[in-house]
């Protein structure tokens, strides 16, 4: 019995250590967030504004975003915060989504804008081939774990 308890405690500690590593690695390896002056410059040609909120149906204590989002033909910016995590991607969707299931159902109609590497503020360049007017919603998605993070409807 003592051996089983000892084995289980070691396995549990190993699992906790792995989970803490998965959570903290993106924080430790994230580049510096853009300065507010960079955000202002990147959002100078904005066409739309929206708000990430952390009270969406698919968001939770580990997967959320809040702050001001600007969408323009050259850049999409966030002045705010995202929960830390690996492999975040920024998508534009033709419909508002707020859950993992909705995202997966509409993913084929979305366009991937780029990677999100920072968790406090971001600037993501928009490819000239993407027409932001054809979409209504900005979505942050964790590609590795297929996890919905947040979304904001801009039109």
């Amino acid at each position: 019995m003592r051996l089983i308890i000892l084995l289980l405690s070691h396995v549990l500690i190993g699992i906790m250590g792995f989970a803490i590593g998965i959570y903290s690695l993106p924080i430790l390896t994230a580049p510096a967030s853009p300065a507010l002056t960079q955000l202002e410059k990147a959002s100078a040609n904005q066409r739309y504004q929206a708000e990430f909120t952390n009270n969406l149906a698919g968001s939770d204590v580990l997967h959320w975003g809040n702050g001001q989002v600007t969408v323009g033909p050259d850049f999409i910016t966030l002045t705010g915060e995202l929960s830390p995590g690996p492999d975040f991607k920024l998508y534009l969707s033709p419909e508002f989504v707020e859950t993992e299931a909705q995202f997966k159902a509409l993913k084929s109609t979305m366009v991937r804008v780029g990677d999100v590497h920072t968790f406090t503020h971001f600037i993501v360049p928009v490819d000239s081939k993407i027409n932001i007017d054809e979409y209504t919603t900005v979505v942050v998605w964790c590609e590795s774990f297929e996890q919905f993070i947040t979304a904001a409807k801009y039109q």
Side-chain angles (χ1 to χ4, degrees), residues 48-121:
Y48 305 102
Q49 288 185 6
E51 191 82 23
F52 282 153
T53 63
N54 57 2
N55 62 353
L56 299 177
S59 297
D60 58 37
V61 76
L62 295 176
H63 309 98
W64 53 268
N66 58 45
Q68 183 72 36
V69 180
T70 66
V71 180
D74 301 317
F75 299 100
I76 297 175
T77 69
L78 168 67
T79 304
E81 294 182 298
L82 296 173
S83 60
D87 202 22
F88 282 5
K89 307 296 181 195
L90 188 72
Y91 284 85
L92 293 180
S93 172
E95 295 178 36
F96 181 70
V97 298
E98 65 176 327
T99 66
E100 178 183 322
Q102 291 171 340
F103 180 90
K104 288 180 176 180
L106 288 172
K107 188 173 183 181
S108 65
T109 66
M110 297 180 189
V111 63
R112 189 168 119 186
V113 179
D115 298 339
V116 176
H117 298 291
T118 57
F119 308 112
T120 302
H121 314 311

Side-chain angles (χ1 to χ4, degrees), residues 8 25 142:
L8 286 176
L25 184 62
C142 176

